[in-house]
Amino acid sequence: MPIILDQSEEVITIRLLGEVDISCAIELRALLLTALGSKKKLRLELEETCELDVTTLQLLWAAEREARSCGVKFTVEQPLPQAVSRMVADAGFEKFPLPANS
Amino acid sequence: MIDKFKQAFLEEARDILVELESALLELNEKRDDLELVGRAFRALHTVKGSGAMFGFEELAAFTHNLETAFDAVRNGQLRITGDLINLSLAAKDQIKAMLEQASGGPPVQQAVSDEILAQVRRLTGKAEPSVVISTQAAVSDTVPATSTVAQGPTRDWRIHFSPGPDFMRSGANPLLLLRELKQLGTLHVNASMAAVPPIAELEPERCYISWELSLTTAVAREAISDVFIFVADICDLAIDPVAQAVPDPALQVVNLPPVTQPEKTQIVVADKNATKPPPWGRRASDTPDNASSIRVPAAKLDQFVDLVGELVTVQARLGQLATRHEDPEIASVSEEIERLTSALRENSINIRMLPLRATFERFRRLVHDLARDLHKEVELTIEGAETELDKSVIDQLNDPLMHLIRNSMDHGIESSERRSVSGKRSAATIRLSARHSGASVLIGVSDDGGGIDAAAVRARAVEKGLVAADAALSEAEVFSLILAPGFSTAKTVTDVSGRGVGMDVVRRSVEALRGNIEITSKPAEGTTVTLRLPLTLAIIDGLLVRVGEAHFVLPLASTLECIELTRQDIARANGKHVAIVRGEIIPYIRLREYFNMQAEAPEREQVMVAETEDGRYGFVVDQVLGDHQTVIKNLGRFYSHVQLVSGATILGNGAVALILDPNRLVRDAIRTLPLIPRDSRGELPRTESKAARRAACS
């Protein structure tokens, strides 16, 4: 399973490992919904991520939007791995997880 | 679903390889034709990019090396040579083998791949082995950023790309497409998230992102479209040129007289008549190709035609029921269904009709390779490639045509030296032709070689005990001996032919298709082998006839007319099987006698006059029942040796009717019955005067 969820009193950390693509999309959405529902801070770690696809990107984007609207703090650990940065740039996202035009 | 799209890729890739081979062979003839270089490059580029997208990394990496070579040709760094063409053809074969392996075929030989790649690198001067392409880095990792960018003036394009609901589930990846586009020039990517719903409502396996792209490139729109070739059906795509900002001298501001009112009116009318382009130009899904054709697996088509065949049989039963019950309402419905079934049958047959071009074009490669191996100079000309034939017939044509071409190349065509001595052009010609002839298609394989030595054929046939030494044989009969099993006059057996198995195989294959073969040849001028094949093997228009309790079907296409034959007519002919139709003597075959049927003949019989390859002959039956849509069923392996019938059909009452083959029936009858044979012009023998013959029949 390339998705790991760590929970503490205040923070939920989601770590994505290796290739995270459409095959993990249903699972990732469920975890994000759980995390957002808990109203805890949500932290995303991509340190060990090799690849993301657009289904993952749009889920993270939707999660970030949902977090903002319901007052949940959403952070992405920086710096991003090179492969992820390149993928994000190729997909037209200037500042992950926000697209260039947002 | 991913498998479905992979399958679609495999099928498309096979088509692209055919296009690649065709381009390479043409390029061999016209080595400076940049358009052909572009065709070959695009084919390789598409196979590589799409292969990587669908997970065929090895195929993509292999193809990439060859693509690099053709990129070097495009950029003037490498010249087209015979070696490069041969190497490219070998590489194309290897790519095909990789596709076959992916479809469950035998594994590819890695050593062959390695050898080809080593040779490609030697040619291109690139010593480093290629980088293996991964699915996530399909193109951009391996191709230098400028390698595929065409030289020349650039222009700006605006591209709208919106993946459809099933895009991701199909295995496609938008990022790979964006990266491939990036190779074509300078790309600015803008992701639009407007359609992404709240996370609670979001379908995780669906892509909601769409992209607005600006591309500055020197490549044509076609090359941009090619990037999306395998996803055109599952995305919304619009590619529009952006108006050039560079001032056009032709549009410089000049002082013009004011526009008059009539001119203004004209302008307004013209503007109203102008077709407004859609905001994003033509969508991918609106392209003529997508709108006018779809790809259907051959098995589904066969099933469809089989079902139509069953429907035709049931419709015949309904027709019989309607006749028996004499109910006008049932009769009316039955007639309507008959009309619809007939139209459906026509349509289903037409769907299966394919032009012979693809089959013929495949032989360019064979001729190219054999000419190289045999050290002969041979040109292949193709005529009538648009002639259409049932797919099931075409599928079985490959082997016979291959044997014929190999024979021509090996035995028919002389060496260049010998041709020069004979005053012939050093380059020989093989002509592959097709044309319609009634309900048949004639396919010819001709060469301008040395011709067949009829005396040698005869001597060999006598030696093998196929004919008696003193047998009186026409030239056509001598040539037909070549088709006998194990016959060969070749003095040496080569890798190409000479084992005496080829022509027998050709004969059996063609006869299995209910066709026949004719050979003509002139010494020093060449040989023509003509295959006469039926248009379809599925359903034909037939004429249903009855003899005693048995039913037969004669192909309607070969029947001419029906006349009555009384016992007096038979008596007047003095036992000779001839009828006189408007002064013309027509020999006939009494099916009752021919098939040794015991039932009593009626007072008045019917003669169905048919046009056969041996001229006009009659077939005497008890009754002509009328037109019959005939669904052809094979007789099965047990009766496969029966040559006089081309199959059987099931009638409305469940009875079986044999479908007669008039040509074979006449030939057999000439041999076995006291039937008067016609000569090659269809004339009856001149040994008797016309008056004498009339007297004999009167």
Side-chain angles (χ1 to χ4, degrees):
Chain A
M1 170 63 70
I3 307 170
I4 294 174
L5 188 139
D6 290 330
Q7 231 177 128
S8 69
E9 290 255 327
E10 293 181 348
V11 181
I12 291 180
T13 304
I14 293 178
R15 289 164 61 207
L16 304 183
L17 313 176
E19 289 181 25
V20 187
D21 57 20
I22 188 170
S23 60
C24 319
I26 294 172
E27 178 75 23
L28 178 61
R29 176 177 168 272
L31 289 178
L32 286 169
L33 280 173
T34 307
L36 289 165
S38 72
K39 303 289 181 184
K40 292 179 184 174
K41 289 177 186 170
L42 178 56
R43 194 169 70 188
L44 187 66
E45 282 189 13
L46 303 171
E47 200 179 11
E48 294 170 70
T49 310
C50 301
E51 283 170 10
L52 299 179
D53 76 348
V54 292
T55 58
T56 313
L57 259 187
Q58 70 185 9
L59 269 174
L60 298 178
W61 183 88
E64 195 274 344
R65 183 174 62 176
E66 185 73 16
R68 256 190 293 135
S69 71
C70 59
V72 171
K73 192 174 180 192
F74 183 102
T75 55
V76 180
E77 285 298 296
Q78 301 288 343
L80 296 176
Q82 201 178 358
V84 174
S85 296
R86 198 187 61 188
M87 179 268 164
V88 165
D90 286 348
F93 285 68
E94 209 165 67
K95 188 184 169 193
F96 183 72
L98 304 176
N101 60 346
S102 64
Chain B
M1 189 172 296
I2 288 174
D3 283 348
K4 189 177 116 189
F5 283 91
K6 277 189 175 177
Q7 190 56 39
F9 162 71
L10 292 172
E11 286 174 17
E12 296 268 2
R14 283 187 194 104
D15 290 349
I16 294 169
L17 289 184
V18 171
E19 162 67 9
L20 172 64
E21 186 172 277
S22 164
L24 290 172
L25 291 169
E26 272 191 65
L27 198 53
N28 196 32
E29 308 291 324
K30 305 170 198 165
R31 296 188 178 181
D32 295 325
D33 191 329
L34 287 177
E35 173 59 32
L36 289 171
V37 173
R39 262 173 67 190
F41 176 81
R42 275 201 300 278
L44 290 163
H45 186 65
T46 306
V47 169
K48 182 193 78 171
S50 308
M53 187 163 82
F54 289 100
F56 298 96
E57 292 95 348
E58 197 183 336
L59 180 145
F62 180 86
T63 311
H64 166 65
N65 286 275
L66 198 63
E67 184 203 19
T68 305
F70 274 84
D71 194 40
V73 174
R74 290 194 329 162
N75 296 330
Q77 297 157 350
L78 190 67
R79 286 186 65 80
I80 292 287
T81 60
D83 283 348
L84 179 60
I85 294 290
N86 288 331
L87 191 55
S88 304
L89 289 169
K92 176 245 138 191
D93 290 345
Q94 196 65 3
I95 296 169
K96 193 176 173 199
M98 290 175 180
L99 295 174
E100 298 308 326
Q101 182 184 347
S103 305
V108 291
Q109 294 179 30
Q110 190 54 44
V112 176
S113 297
D114 294 344
E115 176 57 27
I116 292 170
L117 290 185
Q119 288 192 44
V120 170
R121 282 188 214 111
R122 269 200 294 277
L123 273 178
T124 55
K126 295 200 186 302
E128 291 299 314
S130 65
V131 178
V132 174
I133 295 179
S134 77
T135 43
Q136 291 298 315
V139 182
S140 53
D141 280 355
T142 53
V143 184
T146 56
S147 71
T148 58
V149 180
Q151 306 298 311
T154 60
R155 73 177 305 173
D156 295 329
W157 296 87
R158 189 170 50 181
I159 303 164
H160 167 78
F161 167 47
S162 177
D166 289 327
F167 193 91
M168 297 303 292
R169 282 187 282 257
S170 75
N173 186 341
L175 286 178
L176 297 183
L177 300 173
L178 296 176
R179 284 173 185 162
E180 197 171 346
L181 272 181
K182 202 172 173 183
Q183 281 187 80
L184 301 179
T186 307
L187 182 71
H188 184 74
V189 183
N190 223 336
S192 167
M193 310 301 281
V196 182
I199 189 166
E201 296 163 22
L202 186 148
E203 285 177 46
E205 294 182 343
R206 178 175 170 177
C207 178
Y208 294 92
I209 309 174
S210 60
W211 284 270
E212 306 300 337
L213 310 161
S214 301
L215 177 67
T216 304
T217 180
V219 303
R221 177 200 288 266
E222 195 184 21
I224 302 172
S225 303
D226 280 352
V227 171
F228 299 92
I229 193 167
F230 288 102
V231 295
D233 293 340
I234 50 171
C235 73
D236 195 10
L237 179 71
I239 302 167
D240 285 316
V242 176
Q244 300 290 306
V246 182
D248 186 338
L251 298 177
Q252 280 176 3
V253 177
V254 291
N255 290 325
L256 293 172
V259 178
T260 61
Q261 189 53 43
E263 284 171 341
K264 277 181 184 169
T265 311
Q266 278 180 4
I267 292 166
V268 171
V269 170
D271 189 44
K272 279 182 179 169
N273 290 340
T275 309
K276 281 187 182 173
W280 281 105
R282 198 168 61 183
R283 306 275 158 167
S285 54
D286 292 338
T287 58
D289 281 351
N290 285 336
S292 64
S293 66
I294 55 168
R295 184 179 280 269
V296 178
K300 280 191 181 176
L301 201 55
D302 290 344
Q303 195 183 17
F304 172 61
V305 173
D306 284 348
L307 287 172
V308 172
E310 296 300 325
L311 186 63
V312 169
T313 306
V314 173
Q315 174 264 312
R317 277 180 62 192
L318 180 63
Q320 285 201 340
L321 267 178
T323 309
R324 204 161 55 231
H325 287 277
E326 293 180 350
D327 182 330
E329 275 189 65
I330 297 178
S332 164
V333 172
S334 170
E335 279 169 20
E336 185 69 3
I337 289 181
E338 184 178 351
R339 191 180 60 76
L340 291 171
T341 311
S342 178
L344 188 61
R345 190 203 69 164
E346 289 285 325
N347 271 289
S348 65
I349 295 295
N350 281 340
I351 290 171
R352 279 162 64 113
M353 289 301 206
L354 291 175
L356 279 158
R357 177 167 300 285
T359 306
F360 279 5
E361 288 291 342
R362 271 205 291 271
F363 291 108
R364 285 197 189 281
R365 174 70 186 281
L366 178 72
V367 170
H368 169 87
D369 289 355
L370 284 180
R372 183 194 58 207
D373 296 347
L374 296 167
H375 308 292
K376 291 179 179 176
E377 207 180 325
V378 186
E379 291 167 3
L380 176 70
T381 63
I382 290 174
E383 290 172 21
E386 296 314 316
T387 308
E388 291 189 333
L389 202 53
D390 191 304
K391 183 190 170 300
S392 55
V393 179
I394 287 182
D395 286 348
Q396 294 171 65
L397 260 184
N398 201 52
D399 283 356
L401 289 179
M402 188 178 70
H403 278 299
L404 292 175
I405 290 173
R406 286 164 83 99
N407 262 341
S408 279
M409 298 276 293
D410 201 16
H411 303 307
I413 289 169
E414 319 91 323
S415 64
S416 298
E417 298 77 27
R418 203 168 148 196
R419 288 179 67 86
S420 298
V421 170
S422 313
K424 289 182 173 179
R425 237 166 38 98
S426 64
T429 303
I430 287 190
R431 185 167 149 264
L432 206 46
S433 64
R435 67 182 173 88
H436 283 288
S437 171
S440 306
V441 165
L442 302 182
I443 296 178
V445 180
S446 312
D447 66 60
D448 62 350
I452 299 171
D453 183 343
V457 170
R458 189 191 167 95
R460 184 80 173 135
V462 171
E463 186 187 316
K464 288 185 79 80
L466 294 172
V467 290
D470 58 350
L473 298 175
S474 66
E475 195 175 60
E477 285 170 327
V478 171
F479 290 148
S480 68
L481 291 168
I482 295 168
L483 305 171
F487 188 92
S488 176
T489 58
K491 292 178 181 65
T492 54
V493 172
T494 68
D495 288 342
V496 179
S497 62
R499 294 174 200 280
V501 292
M503 293 304 277
D504 177 37
V505 170
V506 173
R507 181 182 60 79
R508 279 191 279 123
S509 305
V510 171
E511 286 181 354
L513 292 168
R514 301 202 330 272
N516 57 50
I517 305 174
E518 188 183 297
I519 303 170
T520 57
S521 183
K522 286 189 177 170
E525 286 185 24
T527 302
T528 297
V529 180
T530 306
L531 314 183
R532 179 183 285 270
L533 297 162
L535 273 175
T536 175
L537 296 179
I539 307 176
I540 58 165
D541 280 319
L543 201 61
L544 188 63
V545 299
R546 183 181 62 78
V547 182
E549 294 299 312
H551 292 84
F552 298 96
V553 173
L554 282 161
L556 196 61
S558 57
T559 56
L560 298 173
E561 62 180 314
C562 176
I563 56 167
E564 248 183 28
L565 183 73
T566 63
R567 287 188 179 168
Q568 289 78 10
D569 292 334
I570 297 168
R572 274 203 295 274
N574 294 326
K576 296 197 173 182
H577 286 54
V578 290
I580 298 178
V581 182
R582 292 184 291 280
E584 186 189 356
I585 299 173
I586 305 287
Y588 61 70
I589 300 165
R590 298 192 77 203
L591 294 183
R592 178 184 306 284
E593 290 173 14
Y594 186 77
F595 288 119
N596 201 19
M597 298 164 79
Q598 301 300 324
E600 181 72 16
E603 181 65 31
R604 288 174 184 278
E605 293 173 277
Q606 309 287 323
V607 183
M608 281 308 314
V609 180
E611 190 72 60
T612 75
E613 287 164 12
D614 292 282
R616 288 181 181 181
Y617 281 84
F619 298 90
V620 180
V621 300
D622 290 359
Q623 190 185 1
V624 177
L625 298 169
D627 291 357
H628 183 76
Q629 291 183 49
T630 309
V631 182
I632 303 173
K633 304 277 185 193
N634 282 331
L635 289 176
R637 199 183 298 173
F638 192 70
Y639 292 109
S640 60
H641 63 284
V642 179
Q643 298 287 308
L644 308 172
V645 294
S646 42
T649 190
I650 300 167
L651 302 178
N653 61 3
V656 173
L658 294 176
I659 303 162
L660 301 177
D661 182 333
N663 293 322
R664 288 185 183 157
L665 210 57
V666 165
R667 289 214 171 149
D668 187 68
I670 289 171
R671 219 175 44 243
T672 58
L673 295 177
L675 195 67
I676 304 172
R678 295 171 184 268
D679 64 18
S680 59
R681 290 168 301 175
E683 299 285 331
L684 289 168
R686 296 283 175 199
T687 49
E688 303 170 68
S689 71
K690 206 169 182 179
R693 281 187 286 151
R694 275 180 193 278
C697 301
S698 61

